[in-house]
Amino acid sequence: MTALDERSLVAEQPAEAPRRRRRRPGRWLLPIWGWLVIAWLCLPIIVMIIFGFNDTHSKFNIKWQGFTLRWYRELFAIQDLTTALKNSVTIAIIVTVIATVLGTLMGLALGKYRFRGSGSTNLLMFANIAAPEVVLGAALLSLFLTMGVPRGYWTIVIAQVMFSIAYVAITVRARMAGLDPFLEEAARDLGAGPYTTFFRITLPMIMPGVTAGALLVFALSIDDYIITSFNAGNTTTFPLWVYGASRVGVPPQVNVMGTLIFMFGVLLAVSGFLTSRRRRA
């Protein structure tokens, strides 16, 4: 049989029918389950936002009675609630700045150098995160009472800084693990000093980790209740005020303030994501 005959035989054979793709349930079941979980987690936030527009006429804002923008206009009508929110925001800003600076330096040291006690420091940071907040709050309360420090605004700041540093340090240390150490050496070979190398090379490379740690600390600080309740003294923060008001009725202004805090956090997260994406581009 010649080569021409073989080609004609192959051409005459019918083409195989395309195989039908089997529809696996997991291809659509897993995404649906994921979206259901996300919707379940977002349900309390959605309820909070909706009831910020509730035209309620009672102490308990749990039944829909109509739509109104009144509570946005009267956001600061309750003086004690406004003071509590102001305390929470200012404490969160102070704690974020201090914990970010100290945690960044600690994360740099742990990610860049190997020294005696580095393993114990890593273990201590993870223990700080894993320990229950009740234990941390009670321990800090015992420390302040032993030292005779009156509890109040600044004891809240100290307590929150102490449990927030670990979050920034671990985030920065993880960022340092993926960096090329030869970039810093190249900068020094080109005549850059240690400060110039840090601010021009190291800091821009670890900035996504620093930003993520700072946002995490701000979120943890502004809604912390357990550790703050142990060390607040006569100072009232937003979570403490809401818990105290829940016995007699939470006003709709709480929903409005919670909505604004949530939207501010979303705005920070989105801006941080866009900034990091622009830098990668």
Side-chain angles (χ1 to χ4, degrees), residues 178-249:
L179 298 184
D180 187 1
F182 294 106
L183 294 176
E184 295 181 344
E185 295 181 5
R188 295 193 194 97
D189 291 340
L190 294 174
Y195 293 102
T196 304
T197 302
F198 175 76
F199 287 106
R200 293 290 185 89
I201 305 298
T202 307
L203 186 59
M205 290 191 299
I206 67 171
M207 187 54 68
V210 175
T211 304
L215 293 176
L216 182 60
V217 169
F218 185 85
L220 291 172
S221 173
I222 202 168
D223 70 346
D224 180 73
Y225 173 79
I226 298 177
I227 294 178
T228 302
S229 63
F230 276 95
N231 304 280
N234 295 324
T235 303
T236 304
T237 60
F238 183 67
L240 296 181
W241 194 94
V242 173
Y243 178 77
S246 62
R247 306 172 189 175
V248 295

Side-chain angles (χ1 to χ4, degrees), residues 19-74:
R19 295 181 180 179
R20 294 182 179 180
R21 294 183 180 179
R22 296 180 180 178
R23 295 182 178 180
R24 299 178 180 178
R27 295 185 60 184
W28 53 267
L29 184 60
L30 187 59
I32 291 177
W33 176 254
W35 282 110
L36 287 176
V37 172
I38 293 175
W40 174 257
L41 294 176
C42 293
L43 183 60
I45 300 175
I46 296 173
V47 172
M48 176 191 68
I49 296 174
I50 291 175
F51 276 83
F53 299 98
N54 186 21
D55 189 14
T56 181
H57 302 284
S58 61
K59 294 182 179 180
F60 297 95
N61 186 22
I62 57 176
K63 184 179 180 181
W64 183 258
Q65 300 179 20
F67 181 85
T68 182
L69 295 174
R70 171 188 172 188
W71 311 119
Y72 281 85
R73 295 192 299 267
E74 300 177 3

Side-chain angles (χ1 to χ4, degrees), residues 64-264:
W64 183 258
Q65 300 179 20
F67 181 85
T68 182
L69 295 174
R70 171 188 172 188
W71 311 119
Y72 281 85
R73 295 192 299 267
E74 300 177 3
L75 180 60
F76 303 109
I78 304 175
Q79 184 62 36
D80 293 339
L81 178 58
T82 304
T83 303
L85 179 64
K86 179 182 177 181
N87 289 336
S88 290
V89 172
T90 54
I91 289 173
I93 293 174
I94 296 172
V95 169
T96 301
V97 172
I98 298 175
T100 301
V101 173
L102 297 179
T104 300
L105 296 177
M106 186 179 295
L108 282 171
L110 293 173
K112 192 175 181 180
Y113 303 105
R114 294 293 178 267
F115 53 90
R116 182 179 297 179
S118 60
S120 301
T121 305
N122 280 321
L123 179 62
L124 182 62
M125 287 193 306
F126 282 105
N128 187 24
I129 295 176
E133 291 190 4
V134 174
V135 176
L136 292 176
L140 290 168
L141 174 61
S142 301
L143 174 65
F144 293 137
L145 292 178
T146 303
M147 298 179 62
V149 178
R151 291 177 298 154
Y153 185 94
W154 291 107
T155 54
I156 298 176
V157 172
I158 296 172
Q160 291 189 4
V161 166
M162 291 183 68
F163 87 85
S164 299
I165 289 177
Y167 292 92
V168 182
I170 290 175
T171 306
V172 174
R173 185 175 69 89
R175 181 68 180 175
M176 285 292 299
L179 298 184
D180 187 1
F182 294 106
L183 294 176
E184 295 181 344
E185 295 181 5
R188 295 193 194 97
D189 291 340
L190 294 174
Y195 293 102
T196 304
T197 302
F198 175 76
F199 287 106
R200 293 290 185 89
I201 305 298
T202 307
L203 186 59
M205 290 191 299
I206 67 171
M207 187 54 68
V210 175
T211 304
L215 293 176
L216 182 60
V217 169
F218 185 85
L220 291 172
S221 173
I222 202 168
D223 70 346
D224 180 73
Y225 173 79
I226 298 177
I227 294 178
T228 302
S229 63
F230 276 95
N231 304 280
N234 295 324
T235 303
T236 304
T237 60
F238 183 67
L240 296 181
W241 194 94
V242 173
Y243 178 77
S246 62
R247 306 172 189 175
V248 295
V250 179
Q253 284 89 341
V254 172
N255 297 66
V256 177
M257 290 181 178
T259 301
L260 295 178
I261 293 173
F262 172 74
M263 296 305 296
F264 179 71

